[in-house]
Structure formats: structure tokens, C-alpha cells
Amino acid sequence: MKLFFANSFTLFLIVANSGCVTSGEKETGEPATVVAKPQTPAKVSLVNSDWLYWRGPLGSGVSQQTGLPDTLDLNDSSLLWTHEIQGGGVPVAAGGRIYHFGYYGITGDLQEALVCMDASSGKVLWERRYSDFLSDIVYNRYGVGAPCVDGETGNVYFQTSTGLLIGFDKNGKSLWERSLMEEFSRLTFPNGRTGGPCVDGDLIIIHAITANWGSNGPARDRFYAFDKLTGDLVWFSTPGITPKDSSFAPLIFEDLSDGRRVFYSGTGCGNVVCIDARTGQPLWRFQMSHGGVNSGVILHDDVVVAVHGKENLDATEIGRMVAIKKPVKLPEPGEPALVLGREDEKWRNNELEAFTSTPVYRENRIYCTSKTGVLLCLNAATGDIIWRVKLSPDQVHASPLWADGKLYVPMFDGKCFVVKDKGDSGEILDEVQLDGACLAAPSASHGRLFVQSKKRLYCFGSKTPAPDFSVTDIVQSKGTGSPVALQVVPAEFAVKSGNSQKFKVFSLDKTGRRITELSEGLTWEKWIPPTAKVKVKVDAEISNDGVLVAASDAKLSAGALRVTDGKVFGVARGRILQDLPYAENFEDSFALSQTSSDDIPFSYPPLPWLGARMRWQIQESDGNKIAGNTLDKVLFQRAMNFIGHKDMKNYTVEADVMTDGNRRIKSTVGLVNQRYIVALVGNWQKLEVFSNYDRFKVSVPFSIKTNTWYHLKTRVDIATNGSGIIRAKAWEKGSDEPDAWTIEAPHANAHKQGSPGIYALSPQSLKKVYIDNISVTSNN
């Protein structure tokens, strides 16, 4: 059985066991702070010296290197350099370069960055900076994740907290970019825990909670796999139930004896899941808590060991470590996932409470930190605690690293410990107080140890330059036998009117391996799944050579495509994104055939609106059809839904809007324009422009009467220097449009593009908002 762990959702990577300028580019020779010249280090082992994922070359938080420092004194020769960057990221290393995810700035000037540095000197070789947009992140909870490096190409991939997934070559040239928020309705959370992508074969796989469209409309934990060279979506997977928390648990990979390749991860719905890594098929899930499982799992013999820090399902205490027995027989392709239970546990330990820190696994021992600041060593076969060492008052995210016969353990109070496993006890060899709390796992590469505190990145160890990174050819074994399914790439598409999409089709064997790419003998059709609640088709034509063409006058639409070779079939889904102008008054094609929980006849909103199905309903008011937000769940008290392409810019969006409320509580209604929200805020009687409340927010007083229609209009104008002005005006419907803009908000690092959309906030889901007569027009 061959194991490999990639740093997929390395979210807080702080798990560590054992990984503009709104969109700005910067080439720089900026040096790091260089400290005392190190003494000649011990001989450094080059075995698996590159650290391409935050979890390291073995995927277990274990390094095989030797010659790493025994002490971490900031005033002696062990400290090589520091670099002032904030966050909770783990640097990854390829040869003599490291790639690090962090952020610069404090308030409005805050930007996340992917930074490439010389590992021996700390000199910045290049960096790419990105501003926040439309996220719910509060305070400065950014830079919580890690990039990853593809061993076959040397390319680098990372994900910003707002959901930009980007591929670069080693010199910082952008290869492709996806906006997960605007393409799949990826949700953000106040805690900012983002994680990072992982490379597995030809795929870049990420974990996120999304509320997409159609059957993927309900908010769920989902996994997405993209082609690493093109960024095309290869598969998506929905393995769990409704999440109650965010989760940034990493993906842990394993090759099974039956030829399948799978990965394991925690989810926001409290499950540990097993997914087919080649196809995305959910294979099994085990629910272990009421909240999210954020720590990564470890593999030992026939069990998957997981830990959490939330409320247990069957007890009042918080936290538990469980060894889950792997099922002997997994579902065949197309069969539903198994649901495991208490009978599938091999052992459990109720003394552990670890919210996000991932254990280290080495030689049948598990090392992990607990919420109470204790480092524990457990027997992986029984779950019994062998020894424990109190290190700090508490622990939040950071995880240990095992390397060169010792454990490197950063703690939340900013101390980093070096601990030796003495067999039946743990011995503290050294400790150092770093500048700021430690949220991230350490990494090790070519004789150097990297530790990120909340304020700066530290490098300890060898000054010897590392050899250049050598890429490794990866041979993908072909599938054999009869095909069991066809895989269509891209699995989900977004085609602008007047454009086309060429699909690739691969036949898959029962292990999910690709047998061959098919180009002949295929039959394509626009297809309505039998379970579809909105039975419509895309406004485009598909040919039997796999080319979808949307005419220049194609309308906003969504649907599925089906392809067959006569024996097996494959499906893709997607949207046609209408060229401007776009208008929607809800009068046509909306039969009010459904009944809401408050007995209102309604129709589902337009299918192509991202995330709208569960949050909006088309209903009648005074003889007109309008859109009203749903109040069924507090989870839906806030709605932001996109209706266009992520690359749109230089347009005006306007609509009739109305808020419900009383003198105590009122709702908020608004529009999204180029990654800005323009809203009438009922509770505060103002017209407001914001992108993230802590980053960019401007408002003016505006009197808002409840149950009164207003017309809201907005545009974004970008100057040649990259600055911009967000303009908006609002007036009572039926009165004359004012000549002047009600608000003009300047932004130095303006967002250059972004999908239009609609916005609603009903505090505690008590008072509705309504929208009608939406219009998006070009400013040209």
C-alpha cells in the first residue's frame, strides 16, 4: 500500500503534523533582515529535501533531513534571516527558492501576497499582491494557507482568502486564474481560514464551501479538481451534509490495493470523508462532531485517525480523537457513499481537544498539540497516551513538525519549542520567543527550518545554497478494461454569448484511470436531468464533435450536456452568460407553482444566478412579479448572488429595490458592481459602498422608508493609474432621477473587474427585501 499526502486544503496549514494594486505584480530585490552569520552546520541530508506541500515530502509532517538546528536562539548563529510579513502561512520550498503566503498592511492598504524568496538569503525574488473583495473576513485574519509546487513542472499554485485560485510558473508568470467566489459562489467566513490547493497527478484540488446553482445550489462542503495546466474544471464532489462551520482540513491521499486513488479530509458538517481522487466520487463519510473538522487526518495500518475540537455527537464533552476502520469494500462507480458509524471505530480517546492542529505520524506514534497547550505522544494502535509535555497556556492552530530526531512545535503564545521523544517521556531541548503568535506549522528544506509568527517569517539553519530544483517526470498509468463512464472536461462551463467551448472526453476504467481520449463516435445532446427542479436548457448548440456555440444574441441560461459513446455516458453542466445589455423583470417564464413555508406561491429565481435558488423566490406583488429573499433560515439572512462573468467591467447596474422593516429593525438591499456592494442600509439610514467592511467602506446619509420602492443605480470608473471612483445614486421610484450622484467613493487600489450581482441582508431573517427591473448595461 503506497501512501502520499498532499497539502490540499492545507487551510490553516497551521495544522502541522508529522502544507496591486488589486491584483498587483512586483519584481523586487528587497533583502530580508540578515542576522548573525551562521556557523558551519552539520552535514545536511538531501533526501526528500524539497518541501513542496505544507505537510512535507512524506505527507505526514515528517522530514527525513538531518543537520537541522538543535537550538533556535534569535541572538546566535542558528538564526539565518527574517522577513517582515504577517499571517499564518507555511512556506513551501523547491530547490533554493521558497514560496510563501502572507499579507502586508493593516487596514485599507492590506493585501495578501504570494512571495518567492531566495531560501539562503531571504531576498525577495518576486511577489504578487491581491486585495480583499466582498469577503466576510474580520480583523486581519488573512494569509491563512499555503501555496504548493508541482514536482513535474515547478509551477506554483495558491488560493487567496477571497477565493482567487491562481497558477504561476516559477518566475511568477500567471498561467491561469479562477475566481471561485464569482464562478462557484464560494463562501467566505469571518475567521478567514482559507487553506490552499494541492497537486495530485494532473490535478489541482481544493476544498471549499460553495452555494453554486441548480443541484449545487444548497451550501455544502465541496471539492473541486482543476487541470493543473489549463485551469479547466475536471470534477466536483459534494460528499457531506449541510455545514455548520467552515473547514480547512487538508487532503490526505492514499493508493488502495484495488487500484483506486483516494483522499481523506474533514468537512464543515463534522464528517471525515473519503473521495475518489480521480473522479470525485464520494466513497464514505463518518460524522464525528456537530461542528467542523479542521485538523488533517493520519493513516495507520487499516485506520484513519482524526481529531476535532467541537461538540461530540454522543457526549457533552468537547473534542475527541477517533480511529476509523476503513471499509473492506468500497462503493462501485455510480453507487452511493457509505455512511459509517460507532461500530466502525477501532478506538477513541476522549482526552484530546484539538480544533485545527493536525497530528504528526511517525513509526506508530502520533504527536499532537491540544487546546490546553500540551504536546502529547500517543500509541497509534490503541490511542493510549504515552507521554505529555505542557508547553504553553493554550494552543489554537499551529502543528508540530518532526525532523532530524526532534519535534519543532510552535505555540499560540509565540514560543517555538524543540522537543525530543525519549521513548516514555518528552524532553524540551530548547525554546524561543518569537515576535507574535504562532498560527502556522514549520517547514524544513535543505538544512533550513522556516517558522512563521503572526508578524514575521524566521529562517534557522544552513547558509549553504540549495541546488536548483529538478522537476520529476510523472508517468500516469492508463486505465484498462471496459469503460465504466465518460469524463467531460470542463465539467462545468461558463460561456459568454458569441463564444464557444470545446470539450474533451475521456473514457474511465473502474479505478477512475483514463483509458483514452475520445473524439469520434460520440453523440451529444442538451439534457435535462430527471431530478432537475427547473427544467430548462442552455441557449446554445452542441455539435457531435464536442463544440458548444453560443450565438451573439444568446440569453442568460443554464443547463446540462450529455455525451455517450453508445455504452456509457458523461455529463457537463454550465451557464451561458449573456452579453450586455441584460434585463430581468420576472414577468416571463416564471410560473408560481411552488409554495413557500409562509404559504406564498413562488417560482425559483433564474437558474444561472449563482447561489440564488435557496435565497430568492419570485413572487407576486400588486399584480407584478418581483424577487424577494427567503427567510426560512438564519443562515440565509445574508445573500450575495452573481449574475454575470467574473471578467466584466465598465458597466452600469441598476434596479428597483425595497426594504421591509419597522422602527426597531430594517433590512438592507443592494447591488454588486465590479466587486463592490452598493446598498441602502435601512437600520442606519444611509447609502453605503463597501467591498470588505474592514478594508473599504464609504457611506452618506440617506433617508429610507420601509415598504417603499427606490431605484438604485451604480457604476465604477477606473483611471489609468489604477485608482477608481464608485458612483451611486438612489431616488424614490416614480420621481425624477437626480442629476448628481448621491455618493462618489474614491478607491486608490480599485477593483478592475467583477461580476454584477444582487445583495440582501435581513438581520436574524426577520424582514425581507425585494428587487425588480434589474438592468446591466455597458458604459461604452
Side-chain angles (χ1 to χ4, degrees):
M1 180 169 61
K2 182 180 178 182
L3 302 184
F4 176 75
F5 304 69
N7 100 320
S8 164
F9 199 30
T10 183
L11 250 162
F12 227 157
L13 46 85
I14 49 187
V15 192
N17 119 223
S18 197
C20 240
V21 176
T22 290
S23 175
E25 300 188 355
K26 180 180 179 182
E27 304 292 345
T28 175
E30 176 187 349
T33 301
V34 180
V35 298
K37 184 177 180 180
Q39 299 173 348
T40 302
K43 184 176 181 181
V44 174
S45 169
L46 296 181
V47 176
N48 290 325
S49 287
D50 293 311
W51 195 274
L52 306 184
Y53 313 97
W54 76 269
R55 294 184 64 80
L58 304 179
S60 56
V62 172
S63 172
Q64 294 180 330
Q65 292 185 77
T66 59
L68 293 172
D70 292 325
T71 61
L72 304 177
D73 194 325
L74 300 182
N75 299 312
D76 74 3
S77 60
S78 65
L79 179 60
L80 189 58
W81 53 261
T82 69
H83 177 72
E84 189 171 339
I85 187 170
Q86 303 169 87
V90 172
V92 296
R97 294 185 173 198
I98 64 169
Y99 303 91
H100 191 48
F101 178 34
Y103 70 91
Y104 300 106
I106 299 175
T107 54
D109 62 341
L110 186 151
Q111 290 186 310
E112 291 187 311
L114 173 65
V115 186
C116 174
M117 308 171 69
D118 180 275
S120 58
S121 69
K123 177 182 177 181
V124 175
L125 303 178
W126 56 263
E127 64 181 33
R128 303 291 178 262
R129 297 193 181 193
Y130 299 87
S131 297
D132 188 347
F133 62 89
L134 302 178
S135 85
D136 295 319
I137 299 169
V138 297
Y139 308 122
N140 288 347
R141 294 171 175 171
Y142 293 88
V144 181
C148 63
V149 178
D150 177 26
E152 186 178 30
T153 63
N155 294 335
V156 187
Y157 303 90
F158 96 119
Q159 179 184 183
T160 70
S161 295
T162 53
L164 294 179
L165 177 64
I166 314 170
F168 299 93
D169 69 12
K170 69 174 185 178
N171 295 317
K173 178 183 177 182
S174 179
L175 303 175
W176 52 262
E177 178 179 315
R178 305 299 300 255
S179 177
L180 304 178
M181 179 188 293
E182 294 167 296
E183 295 184 74
F184 305 103
S185 197
R186 172 190 178 271
L187 306 183
T188 61
F189 298 89
N191 55 43
R193 296 192 296 263
T194 300
C198 69
V199 183
D200 187 55
D202 294 330
L203 303 177
I204 300 296
I205 306 177
I206 62 103
H207 175 194
I209 294 178
T210 63
N212 202 352
W213 62 272
S215 61
N216 281 3
R220 295 286 188 273
D221 280 271
R222 292 188 174 93
F223 299 89
Y224 294 85
F226 300 88
D227 185 292
K228 69 182 182 183
L229 299 180
T230 66
D232 287 336
L233 183 66
V234 176
W235 57 254
F236 55 87
S237 179
T238 309
I241 55 180
T242 303
K244 296 184 178 180
D245 197 358
S246 61
S247 172
F248 51 90
L251 276 60
I252 310 301
F253 288 82
E254 180 180 24
D255 287 321
L256 302 182
S257 59
D258 66 356
R260 289 191 186 186
R261 184 164 176 79
V262 302
F263 65 80
Y264 308 91
S265 182
T267 66
C269 56
N271 280 269
V272 173
V273 299
C274 175
I275 309 293
D276 188 306
R278 299 187 181 111
T279 67
Q281 179 188 0
L283 300 175
W284 59 260
R285 66 179 178 89
F286 173 88
Q287 187 163 11
M288 60 185 303
S289 71
H290 285 294
V293 177
N294 288 281
S295 300
V297 306
I298 60 175
L299 306 182
H300 170 74
D301 293 340
D302 62 344
V303 297
V304 177
V305 181
V307 65
H308 73 89
K310 294 291 188 175
E311 182 181 352
N312 288 299
L313 297 177
D314 56 1
T316 57
E317 64 261 11
I318 302 296
R320 178 180 292 163
M321 179 176 281
V322 178
I324 308 161
K325 293 183 289 187
K326 302 173 191 173
V328 175
K329 180 176 174 52
L330 293 174
E332 295 296 326
E335 293 182 351
L338 303 175
V339 179
L340 308 185
R342 177 69 176 88
E343 68 279 5
D344 297 293
E345 294 183 18
K346 186 170 185 178
W347 54 259
R348 59 167 60 177
N349 186 312
N350 292 320
E351 296 185 57
L352 289 173
E353 181 182 352
F355 178 49
T356 55
S357 183
T358 293
V360 169
Y361 174 77
R362 182 180 180 275
E363 295 184 354
N364 301 322
R365 290 194 169 197
I366 299 170
Y367 304 95
C368 66
T369 54
S370 71
K371 180 182 178 181
T372 56
V374 177
L375 173 66
L376 301 102
C377 173
L378 296 90
N379 184 325
T382 63
D384 295 332
I385 296 174
I386 300 173
W387 54 258
R388 66 184 82 201
V389 176
K390 179 73 171 178
L391 299 181
S392 69
D394 57 0
Q395 177 70 314
V396 180
H397 302 303
S399 307
L401 161 73
W402 195 99
D404 196 17
K406 42 197 173 279
L407 288 153
Y408 296 96
V409 192
M411 302 300 290
F412 185 61
D413 62 0
K415 289 184 178 180
C416 186
F417 292 82
V418 184
V419 180
K420 181 80 172 179
D421 183 351
K422 304 288 287 185
D424 58 357
S425 64
E427 177 187 356
I428 298 175
L429 302 180
D430 192 31
E431 66 180 84
V432 61
Q433 179 67 57
L434 303 180
D435 185 12
C438 290
L439 300 176
S443 62
S445 175
H446 294 281
R448 285 178 279 271
L449 177 76
F450 304 98
V451 184
Q452 171 73 50
S453 76
K454 188 65 176 172
K455 295 184 178 180
R456 65 183 64 246
L457 174 64
Y458 295 82
C459 175
F460 300 89
S462 173
K463 67 173 182 177
T464 304
D468 291 338
F469 178 65
S470 297
V471 298
T472 303
D473 290 335
I474 298 176
V475 179
Q476 300 285 344
S477 57
K478 285 194 172 184
T480 59
S482 300
V484 300
L486 301 182
Q487 186 176 71
V488 184
V489 180
E492 183 165 325
F493 57 88
V495 178
K496 298 177 184 178
S497 54
N499 288 271
S500 62
Q501 173 71 60
K502 171 66 176 176
F503 294 92
K504 294 182 179 181
V505 180
F506 301 91
S507 56
L508 304 181
D509 71 5
K510 63 182 182 180
T511 68
R513 291 187 176 95
R514 291 176 175 176
I515 301 173
T516 188
E517 182 177 353
L518 304 176
S519 58
E520 298 179 351
L522 298 174
T523 301
W524 288 82
E525 63 176 331
K526 293 190 288 186
W527 183 61
I528 299 177
T531 57
K533 292 187 176 181
V534 180
K535 299 186 181 300
V536 295
K537 297 181 179 180
V538 291
D539 186 14
E541 299 303 321
I542 182 72
S543 63
N544 279 335
D545 59 356
V547 178
L548 182 72
V549 178
S552 59
D553 60 350
K555 302 302 182 184
L556 184 69
S557 56
L561 304 175
R562 187 177 186 269
V563 60
T564 178
D565 64 357
K567 297 180 180 178
V568 293
F569 69 93
V571 175
R573 49 175 257 148
R575 300 178 297 148
I576 303 300
L577 300 178
Q578 180 178 332
D579 196 9
L580 301 183
Y582 168 71
E584 181 59 78
N585 62 13
F586 310 111
E587 296 301 328
D588 299 325
S589 305
F590 294 95
L592 308 184
S593 57
Q594 310 290 324
T595 303
S596 67
S597 59
D598 50 358
D599 293 325
I600 296 175
F602 78 94
S603 173
Y604 291 109
L607 186 62
W609 287 12
L610 290 188
R613 184 168 115 179
M614 307 299 293
R615 290 170 169 79
W616 295 91
Q617 59 190 30
I618 310 305
Q619 61 190 69
E620 190 170 286
S621 175
D622 297 328
N624 295 319
K625 292 178 182 176
I626 61 174
N629 65 329
T630 60
L631 302 180
D632 298 41
K633 299 180 180 179
V634 175
L635 178 66
F636 300 155
Q637 64 179 316
R638 179 180 181 271
M640 181 172 60
N641 309 101
F642 299 102
I643 60 178
H645 197 277
K646 67 181 179 66
D647 294 336
M648 292 178 63
K649 56 187 174 182
N650 195 26
Y651 57 84
T652 295
V653 57
E654 52 191 308
D656 295 332
V657 299
M658 182 170 68
T659 68
D660 193 5
N662 52 42
R663 66 185 184 89
R664 293 182 176 275
I665 186 167
K666 301 177 181 67
S667 51
T668 296
V669 63
L671 302 172
V672 181
N673 190 328
Q674 211 162 296
R675 298 178 178 172
Y676 296 95
I677 294 172
V678 178
L680 292 173
V681 184
N683 279 336
W684 298 101
Q685 295 291 291
K686 61 185 179 181
L687 176 61
E688 187 169 72
V689 175
F690 62 97
S691 188
N692 170 281
Y693 267 105
D694 287 348
R695 309 275 80 79
F696 180 79
K697 180 178 65 173
V698 180
S699 64
V700 295
F702 189 87
S703 178
I704 304 166
K705 295 179 288 186
T706 59
N707 300 306
T708 300
W709 284 102
Y710 292 87
H711 194 79
L712 182 60
K713 182 177 182 179
T714 177
R715 63 181 285 165
V716 178
D717 295 300
I718 304 297
T720 55
N721 65 358
S723 65
I725 299 178
I726 303 90
R727 295 181 165 94
K729 60 175 70 174
W731 65 95
E732 193 168 333
K733 184 179 178 180
S735 61
D736 293 336
E737 176 180 349
D739 293 331
W741 295 99
T742 311
I743 186 172
E744 294 182 288
H747 192 191
N749 290 329
H751 304 313
K752 311 301 188 297
Q753 63 192 47
S755 168
I758 58 177
Y759 177 83
L761 176 61
S762 296
Q764 300 303 310
S765 288
L766 294 177
K767 301 298 180 181
K768 291 174 72 78
V769 307
Y770 304 96
I771 295 181
D772 197 7
N773 298 315
I774 298 171
S775 170
V776 186
T777 55
S778 174
N779 294 335
N780 294 324

